[in-house]
Amino acid sequence: MKITETTVREHGLSLDEYRVIVDSLGREPNLLELGIFSVMWSEHCSYKSSRRHLKNFPTKGPHVLQGPGENAGIVDIGDGLAVAFKMESHNHPSFIEPYQGAATGVGGILRDIFTMGARPIASLNSLRFGSFENARTAYLIEGVASGIAGYGNCIGVPTVGGEVYFNDSYNGNCLVNVMTAGLVKKDRIFKGTASGIGNPVIYVGSRTGRDGIHGAVMASDVFGDGGEERRPTVQVGDPFAEKLLLEACLELFKTDYVVGIQDMGAAGLTSSSVEMASRGCTGLELDIDRVPRREDGMSAYEIMLSESQERMLMVVHKGTEEAVKKIFNKWDLEAEVIGKVVEGKNIRIIEGGKVAADIPVPFLTDEAPVYDRPSKRPSWQDEVNTLDGASLPLPKDCNETLLKMLSSGNIASKEWIYRQYDHMVRTDTVVCPGSDAAVVRIKGTDKALGLTTDCNSRYCFLDPFKGGAIAVAEAARNLVASGAKPIALTDCLNFGNPERPEVMWQLKEAIMGIREACIALGVPVIGGNVSLYNETSGTSIHPTPTIGMVGLIDDLKTHTTQWFKGEGDIVALIGENRAGLGGTEYLKVIHGLERGLPPEIDLAKEKAVQDACLKAIRECIIISAHDLSEGGLAVALAESCLNPKGQAVMTGVEVKLDANGLRLDELLFAEAQSRMIVSLKEKDIQRLEAVCASFNAPVKVIGRVGGRSLKINDAVDLDIEKVKDAWSNSIERHLKA
């Protein structure tokens, strides 16, 4: 087949990129080689628009064992144990086919974790949908939630936390970001490297079909008005096959057979083989006729580009092939030698005894295009940053205003969604979804992990630098509120079309904001994902740099949750109330505006508040803690009264606040950063004040737990049952409407 300009464009490559391919090879590529270049040079695989900027992230720290560049990052948690974790996106597939898109997103991130030698112990997600008025939103929510549940529940890995946001900007592009953490012994970590000339390459797992062909290219493109035409590129998952693959791999890892192992994720057999060869600085020869397949008549092109799920590629020591096959056959899985490690640095594909493709691996990886795309602050930025807060009418009825806030999709309980997930499989989940962070125990130790995902995309729309920094700070604050010390993060950078300078500016600014917060809080980036081209018919999503963070609890007995624990407990505020309504949920819900400047963030003050709170939790002074974020102080107090499962305490609270010159709506609903609501026994007030003073963190007693009402000054007086109804049932009402 002759390669035409149309063929090149259909493969997601520019004509300039095609000319580079021709110059690099010294000849025209054939169709198979063009397909291999197209997926390896796609945005999804090559990070060609973001790679130079990602180098700004701090990636080293006292806990870091493996940073970016492998299937997942790994941190040391002591006792000879480590945690592998990563976050990935499956945005485009989930918009096209929500159930399978979300399900295979879960399957892919699980494989990223167990390919490192780790047993997955917990999954989280970060989901973004359009407005409830959008006809497609309910369909997407139901499909995505079912897909996450259908895969995660079947494979036996608990889904322990996450977040869900709604905004008009996601009407044409939902976001499905998934994160998994796994436990591994420090001395049994495996990597995706091909080495040892003559060592066999073995394909294991499910057979290859035609699903997912060019999925990586599809994920590196914008949508038109439709999108359904892309349905054939969405992969189809089988969680039962993945469970077998997981157990077979973990059994294999107990041997010394494995040289390197890689998940067949985006770009399937192509990316897994090329990336393994690149890391090992070797060549690979693959005989395509040996690849197990489930459909007749598949071409080498289809086999190399298929993204069929539940497959792994590995290099093992020569002479262990039959022993490896025996393990996988026992688990009723395919295991076939399909190639070998060879001299040089080329990947050669053999079909019918003849060379079907022969490409130097560096051309596909290290020498792939890297762009310094133009960036420009949007012309509309000044306008959206303008807000005359003084002209906003004050609430006429703060009770009704608070109930409306609690009914907002971004604040209301997401239990309707997460109750579909199995949180308790493996019985290690200590804190289920609903509190600031999930907590999962580490069996055989006194330790536990805190896990969270966070990002306020409205802040990032109004100021991507500040929004990126706040996403890191809030994730760390959520972990601290659970009693965990933040130790590392992964990210999922979701943006629009990077070929538009305004989007590129947002991406660069957000990266630098994340960097500044990571350095200030001492939290390194150990891996992540970039998802660009989240745009439909020229309308981009709000910039959404989602942060997934892991923290360590040294003694599980000191973990905390956000709910008040008992009558008579004292309520205190660590941090300070400040003016400003820009970018708040209050401004959007009550006044219909997304504008102004998001809250200021002083990272030194943020660290002081977090350090003080964590020390007080570890010294058993604080018995509940909740960070202040969307909705501000009034919403945080309401949430602290409500246990989402209806268990233990559901109590009222009476609070007295000094306005200190703030408007009433600022006092109740401003989203000033670096604040925590905590509760404690009255006898421990002086101890808390001493701890906070040692970190120069402001603290003030503001109220007392008790009664059956939420009372704030003379402004709010609501029966707790009314508060519960507004917060607990609104998502279901929105969806039914």
Side-chain angles (χ1 to χ4, degrees), residues 436-637:
D436 285 310
V439 175
V440 178
R441 70 168 56 84
I442 305 299
K443 275 194 173 86
T445 75
D446 294 327
K447 297 177 180 177
L449 298 178
L451 307 105
T452 188
T453 57
D454 287 285
C455 179
N456 185 314
S457 60
R458 187 181 297 129
Y459 293 169
C460 297
F461 168 69
L462 296 172
D463 185 333
F465 181 95
K466 198 182 294 182
I470 289 174
V472 175
E474 186 183 347
R477 217 160 47 234
N478 282 333
L479 292 179
V480 166
S482 72
K485 178 178 175 57
I487 56 176
L489 68 82
T490 179
D491 59 56
C492 204
L493 307 180
N494 307 273
F495 290 79
N497 184 351
E499 296 168 46
R500 295 204 291 125
E502 294 84 359
V503 171
M504 201 64 224
W505 176 80
Q506 292 174 329
L507 176 61
K508 289 169 64 176
E509 288 289 300
I511 286 172
M512 296 309 292
I514 292 170
R515 167 191 162 85
E516 183 166 304
C518 286
I519 292 172
L521 301 178
V523 183
V525 179
I526 65 167
N529 174 64
V530 178
S531 174
L532 305 180
Y533 295 96
N534 293 287
E535 187 169 303
T536 296
S537 302
T539 301
S540 174
I541 62 164
H542 279 356
T544 312
T546 309
I547 301 299
M549 195 177 290
V550 170
L552 183 61
I553 300 174
D554 288 324
D555 186 348
L556 179 57
K557 292 194 295 291
T558 64
H559 84 275
T560 43
T561 54
Q562 70 185 44
W563 309 294
F564 295 140
K565 299 300 186 290
E567 297 265 341
D569 289 347
I570 297 299
V571 179
L573 173 69
I574 304 178
E576 296 177 308
N577 297 324
R578 291 188 294 278
L581 293 172
T584 60
E585 190 71 9
Y586 167 80
L587 192 66
K588 173 65 174 176
V589 171
I590 304 302
H591 298 286
L593 299 174
E594 279 192 316
R595 58 189 308 127
L597 290 169
E600 293 299 323
I601 176 102
D602 182 323
L603 290 167
K605 290 181 179 177
E606 179 72 43
K607 182 156 176 50
V609 167
Q610 291 189 21
D611 288 349
C613 186
L614 185 59
K615 183 175 175 62
I617 288 172
R618 289 182 166 181
E619 292 186 1
C620 300
I621 298 169
I622 289 173
I623 54 180
S624 79
H626 187 22
D627 92 300
L628 272 68
S629 53
E630 288 82 11
L633 184 57
V635 166
L637 287 166

Side-chain angles (χ1 to χ4, degrees), residues 9 103 126 164 171 206 315 330 484 513 595 621:
R9 291 194 177 97
S126 175
V164 186
N171 281 347
S206 298
V315 174
K330 185 187 87 171
R595 58 189 308 127
I621 298 169

Side-chain angles (χ1 to χ4, degrees), residues 90-106 127-129 136-151 174-176 178 227-228 231 234-235 421:
H90 233 219
N91 301 334
H92 285 55
S94 298
F95 184 76
I96 296 168
E97 212 299 291
Y99 183 94
Q100 289 295 348
T104 52
V106 173
L127 311 177
R128 313 279 161 150
F129 300 103
R136 195 174 168 85
T137 295
Y139 162 74
L140 290 171
I141 293 172
E142 290 170 2
V144 166
S146 297
I148 292 170
Y151 209 101
C174 66
L175 301 185
V176 176
V178 287
E228 286 76 8
R231 194 176 297 274
V234 177
Q235 310 90 331
Y421 310 150

Side-chain angles (χ1 to χ4, degrees), residues 195-264:
S195 61
I197 305 304
N199 278 336
V201 177
I202 300 184
Y203 170 119
V204 301
S206 298
R207 291 172 175 260
T208 295
R210 288 188 170 94
D211 53 317
I213 292 174
H214 272 303
V217 175
M218 178 270 289
S220 306
D221 195 7
V222 296
F223 284 147
D225 290 328
E228 286 76 8
E229 71 278 2
R230 308 280 194 136
R231 194 176 297 274
T233 64
V234 177
Q235 310 90 331
V236 178
D238 180 349
F240 300 104
E242 179 113 335
K243 175 63 173 174
L244 298 176
L245 184 61
L246 162 62
E247 298 301 338
C249 285
L250 293 180
E251 181 176 334
L252 178 69
F253 293 150
K254 295 176 182 177
T255 73
D256 294 321
Y257 304 155
V258 179
V259 175
I261 183 168
Q262 178 83 13
D263 160 42
M264 288 194 220

Side-chain angles (χ1 to χ4, degrees), residues 145-179:
S146 297
I148 292 170
Y151 209 101
N153 295 357
C154 289
I155 199 171
V157 176
T159 301
V160 297
E163 58 173 2
V164 186
Y165 280 83
F166 302 90
N167 188 277
D168 293 353
S169 76
Y170 305 109
N171 281 347
N173 291 83
C174 66
L175 301 185
V176 176
N177 295 174
V178 287
M179 171 182 165

